């Protein structure tokens, strides 16, 4: 009986139910299968395999080419000495022999898989075809298992080689030795070290990408292993419940196929873990190299120098390359001329031409287009080569000069060239992608068609022309990327934030900041064209409005406005103090003077900054509707304020009454007037209210107002004496005007008293007592003096007269019943 090997590998499969049924007898006793173990039978009941084993197999092998490509990329280890960590991903299957070395175990598993593969081929017949999908799956699984074990041995050997000391790179040692002593250091040597470091970092990036791809494969393979394990358990359960030889053989074949599938998944998981360990070891070694190179670069970058000989050597190489490019362009022009002449001959003979001539004409058109694209690419290559020569010259100037302005000019040139290359590279990359897409489309058409000999040759020639376009763009992209990388490095060397800083970099930093500020200051926001008629001809002059002009004009306006405001306040004080001008009139004059001076200041500053007034012409039409509808209330109040200021009907200090507001005018502005009421509350009244409503100005032309007090004396009192006493009280009060004098009038015989009226005049003003205070003082004095004179001030009285000539009738009226409250119920 053949058993499953101790390490978990499947037993050899030596027969199929189809062949046993064809023979009409049982399989030989030497080729018996092992029964399912109880441990495997206990997992029955999981979900079954898909209905089609072949489709399931194709899904499980969809990732195999990608894994093979990754393993091929990882075939050559990094040239570095580094111990390999043993922390690899453990496969799900348990190890049968813990003490056995991984490579010996893999070799033993490979030998066992080959033995099973050979036994299966001998059993089925190598050249004999079969239509049984189960047999085909088994053969593919065995073949794939042999390949997987071979990959596993290869990965183990690579990991073992990584543990061994590797021979030191003599070229790298020589490079590091040349930079080990004191400076200055040759710039070409430093560039070589930078290129080596960039190569190491590119390799690390590729390793990281491969590691991410392996993570994805590992996730999918874990799922495949889980599905295969479930399929094995279900197959063993069905095998334990099978009845009859044919059903038993079928279920046994299913079980063995699923065992092979699970074993293959376990092997692939081990291979993925080994590949990840190899990537980790190589990455760690590369990181050590990168760290060492970075340490050396940090030390040598500040002390690098570019000699005249090195500059001439590099420029000679670049000129030689440029000469080759020019020769290539001349050859391409000659070839293009021949193609154009041939096309003209074909066009001239088009009337009697055949289909072959038409195809040749189409091919020549494609060739001419390729020549045009190649010539364009060559012109770009020539530009890049010439820029490289100039860039090396600028680098030499930057290294040799200690002047901050000169070095700043070098930095500006390098920055400008870098920006141009960056913008051009994006276009070249897009064109290169389109060219590669055309090549792929043509290759797909050739692969899908079955042309004849002539058509196939023409298609091959067309494909070659398309590939030449792609190669031309790739050449431009490659050279531009190399120059761009050099410019980035050199800018880092010359820049104040770069690692290759010099001792005088603070001056370079100041020059760079100054240059940046100049660029911002001279940045043109927009341009305005102004037309002028000269000698009957229209001459258009373009004016640019820059940030500097705008900021300068704003600063000049603020400075001029502040100066005019100070002068206007000084002028207002002089007019009031020296010339006796009214304060309100002086305030109005100052306001209008500020408005006029502000307009003149704006016009003067715009002309001084060479900003034409036509710049603001477009604002009139754009803002007219918004100003008309959105600010109509503001404009109405402003115009009303101008009218109020011109007419001077309402001035500061006047006492006015408007609606329910009465008080002193505190300020008259363009939009609103401030009125402080007698209660101390200030109210802002829109100026339009003074034109639309009735306004009472108590002090418009005269601050004097007449006030009245009414005093009632008892009937029978001496009225003349009372009038003299009341008039004397008014005359004795200091706020009552003597001209006109106060007067007392006998106004009326009232119901309860004789009514006397005191009429007197007072003058209103911020320095005078308010009228209510004068009224109160006079009432106090009148009440006291009238009381002293024995003249009473009566209160309201009523006399009740009863007619007693007849007896009074007395009746007792019944009390009316009070209405019942509805809510009381």
């Amino acid at each position: 009986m053949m058993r499953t090997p101790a390490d978990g590998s499947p037993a050899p499969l030596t027969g199929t139910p189809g062949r046993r049924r064809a023979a009409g007898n049982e399989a030989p006793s030497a080729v018996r299968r092992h029964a399912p173990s109880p441990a495997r039978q206990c997992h029955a009941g999981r979900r079954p395999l898909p209905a089609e084993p072949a489709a399931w197999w194709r899904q499980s092998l969809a990732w195999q080419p990608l894994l093979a490509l990754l393993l091929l990329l990882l075939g050559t280890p990094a040239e570095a000495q580094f111990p390999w960590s043993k922390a690899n991903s453990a496969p799900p299957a348990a190890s049968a022999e813990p003490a056995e070395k991984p490579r010996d175990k893999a070799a033993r598993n490979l030998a066992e898989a080959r033995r099973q593969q050979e036994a299966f081929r001998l059993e089925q017949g190598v050249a004999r075809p079969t239509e049984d999908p189960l047999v085909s799956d088994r053969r593919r699984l065995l073949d794939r298992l042999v390949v997987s074990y071979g990959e596993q041995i290869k990965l183990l050997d690579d990991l073992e080689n990584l543990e061994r000391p590797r021979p030191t790179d003599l070229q790298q040692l020589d490079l590091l030795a040349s930079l080990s002593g004191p400076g200055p250091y040759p710039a070409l040597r430093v560039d070589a070290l930078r290129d080596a470091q960039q190569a190491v970092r590119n390799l690390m990036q590729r390793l990281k990408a491969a590691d991410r791809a392996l993570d994805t494969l590992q996730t999918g393979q874990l799922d495949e292993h889980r599905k295969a394990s479930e399929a094995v358990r279900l197959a063993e359960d069905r095998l334990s419940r099978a009845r009859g030889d044919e059903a038993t053989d079928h279920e046994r074949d299913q079980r063995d196929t699923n065992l092979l599938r699970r074993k293959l998944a376990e092997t692939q998981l081990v291979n993925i873990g080994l590949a990840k360990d190899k990537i980790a070891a190589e990455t760690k070694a590369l990181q050590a190299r990168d760290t060492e190179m970075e340490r050396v670069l940090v030390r040598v970058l500040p002390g690098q120098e570019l000699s005249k000989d090195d500059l001439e050597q590099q420029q000679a190489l670049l000129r030689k390359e440029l000469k080759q490019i020019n020769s290539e362009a001349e050859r391409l022009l000659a070839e293009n001329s021949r193609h154009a002449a041939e096309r003209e001959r074909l066009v001239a003979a088009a009337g009697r031409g055949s289909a072959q001539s038409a195809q040749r004409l189409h091919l020549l058109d494609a060739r001419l287009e390729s020549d045009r694209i190649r010539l364009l690419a060559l012109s770009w290559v020539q530009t890049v080569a010439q820029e490289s020569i100039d860039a090396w010259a600028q680098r030499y100037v930057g290294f040799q000069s200690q002047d901050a302005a000169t070095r700043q000019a070098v930095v500006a040139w390098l920055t400008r060239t870098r920006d141009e290359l960056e913008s051009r590279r994006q276009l070249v990359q897009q064109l290169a992608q389109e060219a590669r897409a055309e090549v792929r489309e043509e290759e797909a058409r050739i692969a899908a068609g079955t042309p004849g000999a002539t058509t196939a040759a023409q298609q091959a020639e067309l494909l070659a022309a398309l590939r030449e376009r792609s190669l031309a763009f790739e050449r431009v992209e490659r050279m531009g990327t190399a120059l761009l990388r050099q410019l980035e490095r050199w800018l880092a060397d010359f820049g104040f934030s770069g690692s290759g800083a010099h001792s005088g970099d603070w001056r370079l930093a100041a020059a760079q900041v100054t240059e940046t500020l100049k660029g911002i200051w001279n940045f043109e926001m927009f341009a305005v064209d102004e037309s002028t008629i000269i000698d009957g001809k229209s001459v258009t002059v373009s004016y640019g409005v820059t940030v500097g002009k705008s900021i300068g004009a704003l600063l000049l306006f603020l400075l001029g406005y502040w100066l005019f405001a100070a002068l206007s306040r000084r002028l207002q004080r002089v007019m009031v103090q020296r010339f006796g001008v009214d304060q309100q009139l002086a305030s109005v004059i100052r306001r209008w003077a500020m408005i006029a001076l502000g307009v003149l200041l704006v016009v003067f500053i715009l002309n001084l900054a060479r900003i034409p007034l036509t710049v603001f012409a477009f604002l009139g039409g754009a803002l007219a509707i918004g100003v008309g509808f959105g600010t109509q209330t503001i404009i109405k109040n402003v115009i009303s304020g101008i009218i109020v200021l011109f007419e001077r009907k309402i001035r500061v200090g006047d006492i006015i009454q408007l609606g329910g507001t009465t008080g002193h005018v505190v300020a008259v502005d363009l939009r609103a007037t401030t009125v402080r009421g007698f209660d101390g509350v200030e109210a802002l009244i829109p100026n339009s209210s003074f034109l639309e409503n009735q306004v009472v100005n108590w002090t418009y032309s005269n601050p004097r107002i007449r006030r009245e007090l009414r005093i009632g004396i008892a009937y029978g009192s001496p009225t003349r004496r009372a009038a003299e006493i009341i008039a004397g009280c008014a005359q004795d009060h200091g706020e009552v005007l003597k001209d006109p004098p106060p007067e007392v009038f006998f106004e009326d015989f009232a119901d309860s008293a004789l009514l006397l009226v005191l009429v007197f005049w007072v003058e209103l003003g911020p320095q005078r007592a308010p009228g209510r205070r004068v009224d109160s003082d006079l009432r106090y004095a009148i009440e006291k003096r009238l009381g002293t004179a024995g003249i009473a001030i009566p209160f309201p009285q009523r006399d009740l007269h009863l007619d007693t000539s007849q007896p009074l009738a007395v009746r007792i009226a019944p009390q009316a019943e009070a209405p019942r409250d509805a809510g009381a119920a």
Side-chain angles (χ1 to χ4, degrees), residues 70 73-74 198-212 279 283:
L70 289 173
L73 290 175
L74 298 175
Q198 186 64 39
V200 169
R201 291 183 175 179
N202 292 339
L203 182 56
M204 290 172 62
Q205 291 293 333
R206 290 196 293 269
L207 290 176
K208 288 181 181 178
D211 187 69
R212 289 192 296 267
I279 289 176
T283 301

Side-chain angles (χ1 to χ4, degrees), residues 2 77 103 122 175 277 292 310 337 473 507 540 619 742 758 765:
M2 300 190 66
R103 193 190 187 289
L122 291 176
L175 180 61
D277 289 342
E292 181 183 2
D310 292 340
S337 301
F473 286 128
R507 293 190 296 269
T540 302
L619 296 177
L758 172 63

Side-chain angles (χ1 to χ4, degrees), residues 798-804:
R798 291 290 184 270
D799 291 338
L800 182 63
H801 297 277
L802 297 177
D803 187 5
T804 59

Side-chain angles (χ1 to χ4, degrees), residues 193-489:
L193 184 58
R194 282 173 164 177
D195 293 337
Q197 185 188 36
Q198 186 64 39
V200 169
R201 291 183 175 179
N202 292 339
L203 182 56
M204 290 172 62
Q205 291 293 333
R206 290 196 293 269
L207 290 176
K208 288 181 181 178
D211 187 69
R212 289 192 296 267
L214 286 176
D215 288 337
T216 304
L217 292 178
Q218 189 177 40
T219 302
Q221 196 59 28
L222 285 172
D223 186 62
E224 293 294 334
H225 181 270
R226 179 184 56 80
K227 293 179 181 179
S229 300
E230 292 178 359
V232 168
R233 290 191 292 269
L234 291 176
E236 289 180 346
D237 183 68
R238 289 194 301 269
L239 179 61
S240 64
R241 292 184 284 104
R243 296 294 182 269
D245 294 341
E246 184 175 356
T248 300
D249 291 340
H250 178 73
E251 296 299 334
R252 185 179 292 111
D253 292 336
Q254 289 283 358
R255 191 272 314 276
D256 293 342
T257 302
N258 291 326
L259 283 172
L260 276 176
R261 194 168 286 122
R262 184 179 68 178
K263 186 63 179 178
L264 179 61
E266 293 174 356
T267 306
Q268 293 295 345
L269 284 173
V270 173
N271 290 351
I272 292 174
L274 293 174
K276 289 178 68 64
D277 289 342
K278 180 182 177 183
I279 289 176
E282 293 184 350
T283 301
K284 195 169 184 179
L286 291 174
Q287 287 177 347
R289 293 178 60 185
D290 180 68
T291 303
E292 181 183 2
M293 292 179 182
E294 183 66 23
R295 178 181 56 80
V296 175
L297 284 174
V298 169
R299 178 174 56 84
V300 302
L301 278 178
Q304 63 175 329
E305 68 171 4
L306 182 63
S307 63
K308 186 67 174 179
D309 294 338
D310 292 340
L311 172 66
E312 293 176 353
Q313 176 184 355
Q314 289 297 320
Q315 289 185 337
L317 293 175
L318 291 173
R319 289 191 182 95
K320 181 179 180 182
E321 183 179 3
L322 182 60
K323 184 177 180 180
Q324 294 175 354
I325 294 172
N326 294 334
S327 301
E328 184 178 353
E330 293 175 358
R331 291 194 300 270
L332 185 58
L333 282 173
E335 185 178 353
N336 181 260
S337 301
R338 290 195 300 271
H339 292 158
E342 184 179 358
R343 185 183 185 282
E344 291 178 358
R345 289 194 301 270
L346 287 176
V347 170
R352 58 181 183 277
S354 60
Q356 185 176 3
S357 299
Q359 293 178 356
R360 181 61 182 172
L361 183 62
H362 174 70
L363 182 61
L364 283 176
D365 289 338
R367 173 61 68 181
L368 288 173
E369 179 65 17
S370 297
D371 293 343
R372 184 188 66 82
I373 294 176
R374 290 171 63 191
L375 285 172
L376 176 63
L378 280 177
S379 66
W380 287 349
V381 169
Q382 290 173 341
T383 303
V384 172
Q386 186 60 49
E387 288 177 347
S388 298
I389 297 174
D390 298 339
W392 276 96
Q394 292 290 330
R395 187 189 187 191
Y396 176 77
V397 172
F399 273 123
Q400 297 299 322
S401 176
Q402 297 300 324
D403 181 51
T406 304
R407 295 184 63 201
Q408 171 56 28
V410 171
V411 170
W413 191 93
L414 295 176
T415 303
R416 185 169 58 255
T417 306
R418 179 199 61 185
D419 296 339
E420 294 175 356
L421 281 175
E422 183 64 34
S423 61
R424 193 185 308 161
R425 187 179 67 166
Q426 296 177 0
L427 174 61
V428 173
Q429 287 177 346
Q430 181 179 359
L431 294 175
Q433 291 177 359
E434 295 176 357
R436 286 191 290 267
E438 291 179 355
V439 170
R440 289 192 296 268
E441 291 176 0
E442 186 64 24
E443 289 176 346
R445 283 194 293 267
I446 293 176
T450 55
T454 304
T455 306
Q458 292 178 350
Q459 287 183 344
E461 190 174 354
L462 178 60
L463 180 60
L466 295 176
R467 286 175 176 170
E468 288 176 355
R469 301 180 191 178
S470 178
L471 292 175
F473 286 128
E474 290 176 359
R475 181 181 182 183
V476 178
E477 183 180 3
R478 183 172 61 255
M479 292 186 63
T481 302
L483 180 57
L484 189 62
R485 183 170 60 249
Q486 287 181 338
L487 293 177
E488 292 286 353
R489 293 175 180 174

Side-chain angles (χ1 to χ4, degrees), residues 70-134:
L70 289 173
L71 294 175
L72 181 61
L73 290 175
L74 298 175
T76 303
E79 298 179 2
Q81 303 178 15
F82 199 81
W84 169 54
S85 174
K86 300 298 183 179
N88 56 338
S89 302
S95 178
E97 297 180 4
E100 188 177 8
K101 292 183 178 181
R103 193 190 187 289
D104 296 339
K105 180 180 177 180
R108 178 171 56 81
N109 290 337
L110 177 61
E112 179 64 21
R114 286 176 176 173
R115 185 184 62 79
Q116 294 179 15
Q117 182 185 35
E118 186 64 25
F120 183 78
R121 288 180 179 178
L122 291 176
E123 179 69 21
Q124 298 297 326
V126 177
R128 180 175 178 179
T130 177
E131 297 179 356
D132 190 354
L134 201 60

Side-chain angles (χ1 to χ4, degrees), residues 496-641:
F496 60 91
S497 61
S499 57
H502 291 264
S503 58
D505 270 357
W506 66 271
R507 293 190 296 269
L508 177 59
Q512 287 181 334
V513 172
T514 303
E515 190 68 22
T516 303
L517 293 178
K518 285 182 179 179
I520 297 175
W521 184 267
N522 296 324
F523 177 76
E524 185 178 78
M525 297 185 294
F526 55 90
V528 178
D529 295 333
E530 187 176 14
S531 298
T532 306
I533 304 299
I534 300 177
D535 295 336
K537 297 181 180 179
S538 177
V539 178
T540 302
V541 181
S542 180
Y543 295 96
V545 179
T546 63
V547 174
K549 286 184 178 181
S550 303
I551 296 177
L554 180 60
L555 293 177
L556 284 175
F557 177 79
L558 293 177
L559 179 61
Y561 190 84
W562 173 80
L563 181 60
F564 287 161
L567 292 177
S568 64
R569 287 192 294 269
R570 177 64 178 171
L571 178 62
Q572 181 180 359
R573 289 194 298 269
V574 170
M575 287 189 298
V576 173
Q577 297 174 2
R578 181 171 299 181
F579 298 100
V581 180
D582 184 68
Q583 179 71 28
Q584 175 66 18
L585 179 59
S587 177
V588 173
I589 294 175
R590 183 181 69 85
R591 292 177 182 274
W592 283 104
M594 284 300 302
I595 294 175
L597 290 175
V599 174
L600 293 177
L601 182 64
V602 169
V603 175
F604 172 75
I605 291 175
L606 291 179
N607 290 330
L608 183 64
R610 298 185 61 84
I611 300 177
L613 294 177
T614 54
V615 171
F616 308 98
F618 70 96
L619 296 177
L623 300 179
I625 298 177
V627 170
F629 289 95
T631 62
Q632 57 181 350
T633 303
I634 298 176
I635 294 177
K636 179 176 68 174
N637 290 324
V638 170
I639 295 176
S640 300

Side-chain angles (χ1 to χ4, degrees), residues 619-753:
L619 296 177
L623 300 179
I625 298 177
V627 170
F629 289 95
T631 62
Q632 57 181 350
T633 303
I634 298 176
I635 294 177
K636 179 176 68 174
N637 290 324
V638 170
I639 295 176
S640 300
I642 294 174
I643 295 174
V644 169
L645 290 173
F646 261 117
E647 292 182 348
R648 301 186 64 215
K649 301 294 185 181
I650 298 173
R651 294 170 294 181
V652 175
D654 288 350
I655 298 177
I656 65 170
Q657 179 180 353
L658 176 62
T661 304
T662 303
H664 296 273
V665 176
V666 177
V668 181
D669 297 322
L670 288 178
R671 190 189 66 84
T673 298
T674 305
V675 177
R676 182 184 292 115
F678 294 140
D679 55 0
V681 178
E682 293 182 344
L684 298 178
I685 301 176
N687 290 330
S688 59
S689 300
F690 294 101
L691 303 181
E692 297 172 354
N693 302 307
Q694 181 180 0
V695 182
V696 177
N697 191 344
W698 289 5
T699 58
Y700 173 63
S701 61
N702 191 349
R704 299 178 178 182
I705 62 172
R706 188 187 69 181
R707 300 188 68 85
E708 296 179 354
L709 287 181
R710 285 173 171 77
I711 304 100
I713 61 176
Y715 276 90
S717 301
T719 55
R720 294 286 183 181
R721 176 63 179 162
E724 293 174 358
I725 292 174
I726 294 174
C729 292
Q731 292 173 357
D732 293 341
H733 197 285
E735 295 294 335
V736 177
L737 298 180
K738 303 303 186 286
D739 185 21
E743 297 180 274
V744 179
F745 297 95
F746 191 165
E747 187 174 76
D748 197 4
F749 296 96
D751 293 338
S752 302

